[in-house]
């Protein structure tokens, strides 16, 4: 009986331990979220490593659509309508795909953001695509990375880096003048609230 109780305790301990830990992912999933203009942009993507392989032109063939990451397709969510590389995109969630060549990448936003990889990619579902130049990095980027770099309070760049390559897509609100007017009014309201608090 005593041995049975000990065995049960060990099993429960092992089960509890297993719940807190998992096998390391070959391409860990990452979520990036950042304030952008009057809302947020979030990106959910897999991060493959170079691991000594030749990436662009071999592992990721030139001229073919790629999932922009690993495993399930990369998802990007805009909290407001944006200008994506100069093209208007409504607020919502999209699949992010890339067609790379040696000197430039076509970056695509597709309505289907729930597919695995790009195996069922349908160009008929594309919302926009923009072609941007590829720059060579001074240092190797071992793990695939997507970041959002603000350039001011109402604009920024979507930066994609892997191996020795980097590309950027400019981001702005689709109706910048309207956003600036709303923002100015909100600042006025906040100032009135602040002044009112100081007087009371």
């Amino acid at each position: 009986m005593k041995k049975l109780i000990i065995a049960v305790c060990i099993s429960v301990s092992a089960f509890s331990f297993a719940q807190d830990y998992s096998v390391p992912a070959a391409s860990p999933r990452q979520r990036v979220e950042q304030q952008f203009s009057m809302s947020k942009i979030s990106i959910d993507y897999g991060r493959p490593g170079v691991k000594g392989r030749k990436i662009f032109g071999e592992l990721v063939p030139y001229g073919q659509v790629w999932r922009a990451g690993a495993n399930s397709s990369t998802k990007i969510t805009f909290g407001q309508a944006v200008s994506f590389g100069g093209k208007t995109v409504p607020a919502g969630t999209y699949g992010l795909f890339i067609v790379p060549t040696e000197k430039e990448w076509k970056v695509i936003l597709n309505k289907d953001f729930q597919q695995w990889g790009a195996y069922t990619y349908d160009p008929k579902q594309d919302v926009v695509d923009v072609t941007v130049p590829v720059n060579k990095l001074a240092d190797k980027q071992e793990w695939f990375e997507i970041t959002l770099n603000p350039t001011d309070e109402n604009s920024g760049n979507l930066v994609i880096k892997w191996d020795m390559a980097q590309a950027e897509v400019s981001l702005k609100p689709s109706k910048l003048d309207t956003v600036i007017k709303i923002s100015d009014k909100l600042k006025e309201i906040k100032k009135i609230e602040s002044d009112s608090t100081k007087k009371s």
Side-chain angles (χ1 to χ4, degrees), residues 25 64 80 147 157:
Q64 295 182 28
Q80 68 189 79
T147 54
N157 292 315

Side-chain angles (χ1 to χ4, degrees), residues 4 44 65 77 103 115 117 125 130 146 170:
L4 179 61
D44 185 314
V65 68
T77 302
K103 294 184 178 178
Q115 58 187 290
Q125 297 290 310
V130 295
I146 302 176
S170 64

Side-chain angles (χ1 to χ4, degrees), residues 101-112:
T101 66
E102 191 173 357
K103 294 184 178 178
E104 57 187 22
W105 291 353
K106 181 191 283 185
V107 184
I108 303 163
L109 297 182
N110 186 276
K111 290 178 183 176
D112 186 358

Side-chain angles (χ1 to χ4, degrees), residues 81-94:
V82 299
S83 169
F84 185 83
K87 297 183 180 181
T88 301
V89 178
T93 301
Y94 303 93

Side-chain angles (χ1 to χ4, degrees), residues 162-183:
W162 199 23
D163 196 10
M164 300 301 293
Q166 172 178 305
E168 299 184 6
V169 180
S170 64
L171 298 169
K172 293 180 181 178
S174 65
K175 296 180 179 178
L176 183 57
D177 290 346
T178 302
V179 167
I180 290 171
K181 286 177 184 177
I182 293 170
S183 179

Side-chain angles (χ1 to χ4, degrees), residues 3-15:
K3 288 181 179 179
L4 179 61
I5 291 169
I6 291 169
V8 169
C9 289
I10 291 170
S11 297
V12 169
S13 297
F15 180 72

Side-chain angles (χ1 to χ4, degrees), residues 16 30-31 63 70 99 119 130:
S16 298
Q30 180 158 331
R31 184 177 172 82
V99 178
Y119 300 109
V130 295

Side-chain angles (χ1 to χ4, degrees), residues 123-137:
K124 292 177 183 176
Q125 297 290 310
D126 289 352
V127 178
V128 297
D129 64 72
V130 295
T131 300
V132 294
V134 175
N135 298 312
K136 188 171 183 178
L137 293 168

